[in-house]
Amino acid sequence: MERDSDEEPPVRIDDRADVIPIDEVLGLYTPEDQTITIFTKGIAKVSTLLGVPKTHLRFVVRLHEWAHALMHIGLSEHERLRVNQDETVWPEMLAAATERFRLMDRRLHERLAQLLTLHALKRLRANARAAEARAALDSRIHAFEQLAQRSPTDYRIDKYASVSRERIRDSIGLLNEGGIVGLNAWDRVVTW
């Protein structure tokens, strides 16, 4: 579920903030109830700070928070088939996914969410047919880049910008299966 909040975000930044984290300033994914919250006041303030349209920044933040949700409850093809055949297995699968999600290093969460966001934007741009759509996506990519330049270290993905979407997806699968554990192991595998 996704909702907009007109309340002050849990973390506030001032008008001269050099560092702007996405989570708890602009948006938040809550694994306990699988809810995404978009903080409209945070979006308004940061869009002014970055000089980007609110609608484009909001789009980027939504993708970022949906990426967290995907890492939490995204299912492999095998898992989807299993749930479709027997819905009673979902509570157990959700509990296991939530435990994995909570145990994952925060830096890894943020880097993966940023990488998934970047790849989603690039893919949307590559598939856009109308000139208007391409221009809007260029502006959204620009908003992502402006925000990324002011993001905390945990969100930085420069080192991984050339890593393919498939390799990132496969690395998430390895993390979920326990084939790799932690940021350092993920870093070695994904940049190999």
Side-chain angles (χ1 to χ4, degrees):
M1 179 162 93
E2 181 181 313
R3 70 180 188 93
D4 284 353
S5 173
D6 293 327
E7 299 172 11
E8 288 293 331
V11 174
R12 297 181 198 170
I13 57 170
D14 64 36
D15 293 335
R16 295 170 290 164
D18 291 329
V19 177
I20 304 168
I22 295 173
D23 293 318
E24 298 189 46
V25 172
L26 304 172
L28 182 65
Y29 174 68
T30 309
E32 291 76 24
D33 59 3
Q34 301 90 55
T35 300
I36 291 170
T37 304
I38 304 298
F39 299 110
T40 56
K41 289 182 179 179
I43 297 282
K45 180 177 250 183
V46 172
S47 72
T48 300
L49 282 171
L50 298 177
V52 299
K54 285 187 275 192
T55 56
H56 296 321
L57 181 61
R58 184 179 188 282
F59 188 87
V60 168
V61 171
R62 288 183 70 222
L63 285 177
H64 178 93
E65 298 308 334
W66 279 100
H68 283 299
L70 179 64
M71 288 185 297
H72 175 211
I73 56 174
L75 299 176
S76 68
E77 184 177 351
H78 171 74
E79 291 167 327
R80 281 192 309 271
L81 289 171
R82 187 170 168 219
V83 170
N84 284 338
Q85 291 172 352
D86 181 5
E87 292 178 8
T88 64
V89 300
W90 176 240
E92 181 183 323
M93 290 175 77
L94 177 60
T98 301
E99 183 64 19
R100 281 191 309 272
F101 188 83
R102 286 188 185 142
L103 291 174
M104 189 183 293
D105 184 295
R106 177 176 166 76
R107 297 169 298 172
L108 185 50
H109 270 288
E110 297 310 336
R111 288 184 188 153
L112 285 168
Q114 285 291 84
L115 284 165
L116 291 172
T117 301
L118 177 61
H119 280 282
L121 288 165
K122 287 181 175 180
R123 188 171 184 146
L124 287 167
R125 173 60 174 88
N127 292 332
R129 299 286 178 245
E132 220 174 52
R134 288 191 300 273
L137 286 158
D138 286 341
S139 182
R140 289 171 177 177
I141 290 169
H142 175 73
F144 174 86
E145 291 167 347
Q146 293 302 302
L147 183 57
Q149 288 176 7
R150 306 263 300 264
S151 293
T153 305
D154 293 354
Y155 293 72
R156 298 295 174 122
I157 59 169
D158 301 337
K159 177 179 179 180
Y160 312 104
S162 64
V163 176
S164 72
R165 181 176 61 91
E166 292 75 18
R167 190 165 187 97
I168 293 164
R169 182 197 62 220
D170 292 347
S171 75
I172 293 169
L174 286 170
L175 286 163
N176 286 338
E177 295 165 2
I180 53 175
V181 177
L183 177 62
N184 292 334
W186 174 83
D187 180 79
R188 277 191 300 266
V189 166
V190 85
T191 58
W192 192 331

